[in-house]
Amino acid sequence: MSATLTDELLTATGQHCHRWEFVTRMESEADGHGWARIGMVMDGTGALLEDGEGWHQHESEAVRAQSNWQAACRIMADAAGECGGLWDTLGEGIAYDADSFLASDAARRIADSLAGYPLLDEDDHSTREHAAMVEEIEGSPVTLPDGVDGEDILRELDCPTPGDITMAMIEDALETLGYVACSDCDKWLTPMTTRCGELLCRDCALEESRPATATTVPIPGAEPWRAYTVYGHGEPLTAVLQPYLDGYATEQGAAYREDVRAIVRGSRAGYRAVYGRAA
């Protein structure tokens, strides 16, 4: 059996680099399904409807293609039965038995609909677009604070589109929600007051408490004997800083650099950190 391609499909083969191989494959697919003629669902522009899983210039194009593909499959299934009978999905698109009125009519309706409007199912597209933007936000380099997810950020953005959500937009949304970034890392904090100062998360506050130490290292073979000093950092003053971190800093939703430095200076003079002492 030697199958033939519909005129629309022959015209669409111009987008393929290897036309002969494509036509041959379509003929083979038709023979394998027992179809005398094979057609493929078009996207309204004369090109093959594709599934949106390949490369796209913009994320919004991929989301739209994925939505239209799934909607087209539902339309074909409703009109011509389950996939694999009068129609089937291939790597290049959705193929159908061109001699079947049910399948051909469904394919025509899909193409006509897309020629007049870019979406087959607005609700499905909106759902996919929303999910794509939430995933984009949660996959960004910005570390969201506990209790905040992509949905929370998305609600604060003004008419965003998939692929166009920037770190600056996410950070602005967090600030709108009342969060402030740690001065030394990418953690976001929720200060309880409008007190001025450099905010620190708990880990960065402990890092700030490391006192500088000096070590004298001899230089072998020097005449006369000489030495030089290497400056490093001691261990964080965890025990000294703990009352402040568990007390005042916890109540404020953040530690403050000036507090930590004051506590460190006090500890060097032999004082213990007191709850709220340096506030």
Side-chain angles (χ1 to χ4, degrees):
M1 175 180 173
S2 180
T4 58
L5 282 64
T6 61
D7 293 340
E8 294 83 4
L9 182 52
L10 284 171
T11 301
T13 56
Q15 66 181 299
H16 293 271
C17 298
H18 304 288
R19 183 179 185 279
W20 183 84
E21 288 87 345
F22 177 74
V23 171
T24 300
R25 173 143 191 263
M26 291 301 101
E27 292 173 345
S28 176
E29 289 287 350
D31 288 342
H33 285 80
W35 303 337
R37 290 196 310 139
I38 184 172
M40 295 192 76
V41 177
M42 302 298 169
D43 66 0
T45 68
L48 304 183
L49 183 71
E50 49 96 15
D51 60 9
E53 299 301 327
W55 180 84
H56 289 79
Q57 288 186 330
H58 199 278
E59 179 67 19
S60 59
E61 295 178 358
V63 173
R64 182 171 62 248
Q66 291 162 10
S67 175
N68 285 337
W69 171 273
Q70 293 298 329
C73 287
R74 291 195 297 271
I75 293 171
M76 294 297 293
D78 290 342
E82 294 183 3
C83 179
L86 296 177
W87 67 282
D88 205 350
T89 56
L90 309 177
E92 291 82 0
I94 301 174
Y96 63 90
D97 180 357
D99 289 327
S100 165
F101 171 77
L102 295 176
S104 297
D105 181 65
R108 177 190 57 77
R109 286 188 284 111
I110 291 169
D112 289 348
S113 179
L114 289 174
Y117 190 71
L119 298 173
L120 290 173
D121 187 334
E122 283 192 351
D123 290 340
D124 177 83
H125 177 262
S126 295
T127 299
R128 291 174 182 273
E129 193 174 49
H130 184 90
M133 289 188 288
V134 169
E135 182 179 356
E136 185 177 352
I137 292 169
E138 294 181 347
S140 78
V142 179
T143 302
L144 300 180
D146 293 341
V148 177
D149 58 19
E151 296 277 359
D152 300 319
I153 299 299
L154 190 57
R155 282 192 291 270
E156 299 299 323
L157 301 183
D158 184 22
C159 299
T161 56
D164 290 333
I165 299 175
T166 64
M167 289 179 60
M169 293 168 65
I170 298 173
E171 290 170 349
D172 287 345
L174 285 171
E175 290 177 359
T176 300
L177 290 170
Y179 291 88
V180 180
C182 171
S183 299
D184 288 354
C185 74
D186 58 0
K187 291 182 181 177
W188 287 81
L189 310 168
T190 52
M192 298 296 103
T193 68
T194 57
R195 172 187 166 182
C196 295
E198 293 184 70
L199 279 70
L200 295 174
C201 68
R202 194 180 190 89
D203 291 340
C204 290
L206 288 172
E207 285 297 311
E208 181 70 21
S209 75
R210 290 177 182 268
T213 58
T215 303
T216 301
V217 178
I219 302 177
E223 292 292 342
W225 182 90
R226 292 180 301 168
Y228 67 95
T229 303
V230 177
Y231 289 92
H233 287 85
E235 292 297 317
L237 301 180
T238 304
V240 171
L241 207 59
Q242 202 75 39
Y244 167 74
L245 294 177
D246 291 343
Y248 181 80
T250 297
E251 288 187 354
Q252 292 299 301
Y256 288 83
R257 194 186 306 278
E258 55 269 30
D259 292 356
V260 174
R261 289 179 176 177
I263 292 172
V264 169
R265 288 195 300 270
S267 68
R268 287 177 178 173
Y271 293 99
R272 297 283 296 174
V274 179
Y275 168 81
R277 167 187 176 277

